[in-house]
Amino acid sequence: AAENTSSVGIAAHINFSLFIIIYSFTGAVCAVGLTQSSYRKGVGSPLKSYDRRQLMAMCFVASLAPVTRLLPKATAQVAGSASWLAPLCALPLLLLFLLVLTQLMKMRREGEGLGEVIMRCAGRRAGSVGLGLIAAFLLFSGGFILRTGAHRLISTIYPSAGPWFFMATMLLMGTLAALGPVKALPRAARVFAPVLLAVMLLTLFMSLDSVDIKNILPITKSSPGELFLSSLAVVEIYGGVLYSAALIEDRAPLQGRRFASHAGWLALICVLLTFFCAVIIGCYGAQLVARFSHPFFSTVRDVTLMKTVERIEALVAALWVLSDFVIFSLLLCCAAHILRLIFGFKPEKTDLRML
């Protein structure tokens, strides 16, 4: 278990580093492209397949798998008892990220996503290189999601099972979903989101009677630098899902007030995650939480319904497969979309023939 936790932590740091490098490259090539090309709206309007609300629901559902893996464990390892404030500290960084992403998407024409913007502004050669790196990163992240999802199921429900069956099953499900039209993913996430949110909130509220205020207060032990470092996990998660959603916005209509709507959504997310971390750390303390493989599911394990129904973590862990499914399918769809742009392959429906 210790080896698995260590390997997951190392892979998470690699994931974050690659994410920062790729995002920086995206901003650079688009900035260079702006000096060489002028912006004008395209002519024509493709079929609208999903709207902004559906994309936000998809981002929320996709984020829940890494959230329960990293929070509040990763933050507690860095900032201790004050780590429950990490999501609030991440909000300014996320807003800065959103501001840059919004400026990039302002160059978007009708029927384009972020990949098309990069290809058009950076040029064919530089755009292909940059998008190829992004596609490789997305495929790496997809494999990482398969492994961590299988590890969560093994540690919570099937302790004596191996990971390969769960990984193969999710690979098949995600591939079949990505072979279909992309519009099915945001629309399905709109259904999944309220279910998973209700389960999360119900679990947290039922755990409030176990919270010890001494585990979260006072917050003077952690330095501002440690709290800032602990917030990077939240920035990685939501920066990644927003970036991925922007890649498949070619089937979404052009809408105004992008920054305002996403900023309000991110603020609500950070408040929710602050409550999420505060309850879990309040129940067990930062030192114990930092040693858990999956702190949220440890909290679920201690929840009792009507003092009769216990050990409901199996049901909750099974529901969290929906998040694994959405984020893995999203990564595959984005990678396939990018490879079609690189090789000039433009089918009417999203598929994975280029993979």
Side-chain angles (χ1 to χ4, degrees):
E3 292 180 358
N4 287 336
T5 302
S6 177
S7 62
V8 168
I10 293 172
H13 289 302
I14 296 174
N15 216 17
F16 179 74
S17 300
L18 290 174
F19 167 71
I20 293 298
I21 293 171
I22 288 174
Y23 184 73
S24 301
F25 175 83
T26 302
V29 295
C30 286
V32 172
L34 280 176
T35 64
Q36 300 177 351
S37 61
S38 60
Y39 166 72
R40 64 180 180 83
K41 289 188 177 181
V43 180
S45 178
L47 179 66
K48 309 298 188 300
S49 296
Y50 36 80
D51 56 25
R52 181 176 291 168
R53 290 185 178 181
Q54 291 171 334
L55 287 173
M56 287 182 179
M58 180 185 67
C59 289
F60 173 71
V61 175
S63 70
L64 291 181
V67 159
T68 53
R69 173 174 56 85
L70 292 175
L71 301 182
K73 175 182 177 178
T75 58
Q77 291 173 343
V78 177
S81 60
S83 59
W84 61 277
L85 292 173
L88 289 181
C89 295
L91 183 57
L93 292 176
L94 286 172
L95 293 179
L96 179 61
F97 179 95
L98 178 62
L99 180 63
V100 177
L101 185 61
T102 301
Q103 294 302 314
L104 293 177
M105 293 303 286
K106 282 184 178 180
M107 296 180 283
R108 174 187 169 223
R109 298 171 179 172
E110 192 79 39
E112 287 186 343
L114 181 58
E116 287 84 355
V117 173
I118 293 174
M119 185 69 77
R120 175 164 51 83
C121 293
R124 183 72 185 176
R125 181 173 299 177
S128 297
V129 172
L131 290 175
L133 292 175
I134 295 173
F137 170 72
L138 292 173
L139 293 175
F140 166 79
S141 300
F144 184 60
I145 289 295
L146 287 180
R147 183 64 183 88
T148 55
H151 179 259
R152 186 185 65 247
L153 285 174
I154 292 171
S155 61
T156 55
I157 306 178
Y158 305 103
S160 60
W164 296 109
F165 172 77
F166 302 106
M167 293 174 65
T169 302
M170 184 56 65
L171 176 63
L172 177 62
M173 293 172 57
T175 302
L176 290 176
L179 282 169
V182 179
K183 64 182 180 181
L185 197 58
R187 293 178 181 180
R190 190 73 187 273
V191 178
F192 299 158
V195 176
L196 294 175
L197 178 62
V199 171
M200 175 186 285
L201 290 176
L202 182 63
T203 300
L204 296 177
F205 280 116
M206 294 182 69
S207 301
L208 284 176
D209 59 346
S210 301
V211 173
D212 185 354
I213 197 67
K214 295 179 181 179
N215 289 330
I216 58 177
L217 293 175
I219 59 175
T220 56
K221 293 182 179 180
S222 295
S223 66
E226 291 175 339
L227 205 52
F228 170 78
L229 290 176
S230 67
S231 68
L232 295 181
V234 182
V235 177
E236 175 194 358
I237 294 170
Y238 286 93
V241 294
L242 286 174
Y243 193 94
S244 298
L247 288 170
I248 59 170
E249 275 197 39
D250 57 308
R251 287 288 180 173
L254 290 173
Q255 295 176 286
R257 296 180 54 83
R258 179 189 183 89
F259 180 82
S261 60
H262 282 80
W265 178 78
L266 283 174
L268 291 175
I269 289 292
C270 288
V271 171
L272 173 63
L273 294 183
T274 301
F275 178 57
F276 175 85
C277 294
V279 171
I280 296 176
I281 294 176
C283 288
Y284 302 106
Q287 292 184 350
L288 189 56
V289 167
R291 298 173 61 185
F292 285 156
S293 295
H294 301 92
F296 174 68
F297 293 99
S298 297
T299 305
V300 176
R301 185 181 297 115
D302 294 334
V303 170
T304 302
L305 295 177
M306 303 297 185
K307 297 183 180 180
T308 56
V309 181
E310 300 180 350
R311 302 300 300 270
I312 62 173
E313 76 274 10
L315 175 61
V316 178
L319 283 175
W320 243 248
V321 173
L322 297 175
S323 179
D324 292 325
F325 167 74
V326 171
I327 189 171
F328 180 67
S329 301
L330 173 62
L331 294 173
L332 284 187
C333 287
C334 291
H337 184 76
I338 286 174
L339 292 178
R340 286 198 307 273
L341 288 176
I342 293 174
F343 295 104
F345 182 70
K346 299 180 180 180
E348 294 181 358
K349 294 183 178 181
T350 296
D351 61 30
L352 296 182
R353 280 180 283 175
M354 295 308 299
L355 295 180

